[in-house]
Amino acid sequence: MIATLSLAFIFGLVAIQMVALADQPPVRLGSLHIDPPFADLRTSDLRDSFDEQHFGHRHEAIDIMEPLGTPIRAVADGRIRKLFLSAAGGKTIYQFNNSGTYCYYYAHLDHYVDDLREGRRVFRGQIIGYVGTSGDASPNAPQLHFAIFRLDDDKRWWKGTPINPYPILLEALKRIPSTNNAGIATN
């Protein structure tokens, strides 16, 4: 009897979550225009690992391998919401876009740009940090762990609906000429 009630309770919670997710409007790639996080990013540098299992859970991000110390650029205009140090992500940045609809998560950084701080306004293409191996990244594999979340009404930087950045970055690369990366600010 208790097992049946417990199972019914769990299924009820799952059903509630499914209804809540169904009520959210779908994310269309055309509605989210970002720039690449690196000045010289190529499509061959990207691999879709969003749905892969990492450490027992869905990755919900992509890892972009770059040399240690490569400058990381803000993918959109917005504000730095949180600078955070965690065991998994190491040195991280949570950046909100201007409307507070999306959060861009940059992890495994070596270090931040010198004057970066929470609340600071940043602009698309502005250098905000540098590729590293902090957190649970392999010391021999410098990378940027990049994730996108659609925020809920509470605007919690640590929560949101994960969005696969892979197709969005592919679309961004189509918009930017590969010969000179026009439109990307230098800092």
Side-chain angles (χ1 to χ4, degrees), residues 6-20:
S6 296
L7 193 54
F9 177 75
I10 290 170
F11 282 128
L13 289 176
V14 170
I16 290 168
Q17 182 65 27
M18 289 172 64
V19 168

Side-chain angles (χ1 to χ4, degrees), residues 6-134:
S6 296
L7 193 54
F9 177 75
I10 290 170
F11 282 128
L13 289 176
V14 170
I16 290 168
Q17 182 65 27
M18 289 172 64
V19 168
L21 289 174
D23 287 342
Q24 295 179 2
V27 174
R28 294 184 314 266
L29 294 182
S31 66
L32 187 57
H33 291 287
I34 64 172
D35 280 353
F38 300 108
D40 61 352
L41 189 67
R42 299 179 312 261
T43 56
S44 60
D45 297 330
L46 299 175
R47 188 175 75 76
D48 189 355
S49 60
F50 186 80
D51 288 317
E52 290 179 1
Q53 291 294 310
H54 285 220
F55 303 105
H57 59 80
R58 194 170 95 173
H59 192 213
E60 297 179 343
I62 63 171
D63 294 326
I64 306 170
M65 310 310 283
E66 289 286 332
L68 186 67
T70 301
I72 299 167
R73 298 168 183 273
V75 298
D77 294 344
R79 290 203 182 272
I80 301 302
R81 176 61 176 94
K82 187 74 175 170
L83 301 177
F84 193 70
L85 181 62
S86 72
K91 290 182 183 158
T92 65
I93 297 172
Y94 290 86
Q95 177 204 340
F96 284 15
N97 70 338
N98 280 334
S99 66
T101 306
Y102 297 103
C103 177
Y104 308 107
Y105 176 66
Y106 312 81
H108 302 310
L109 279 61
D110 183 67
H111 62 284
Y112 309 122
V113 71
D114 286 340
D115 58 348
L116 196 68
R117 65 186 181 284
E118 292 177 11
R120 179 178 176 197
R121 184 157 169 67
V122 294
F123 300 95
R124 181 183 302 260
Q126 180 179 344
I127 296 172
I128 57 175
Y130 299 89
V131 170
T133 59
S134 63

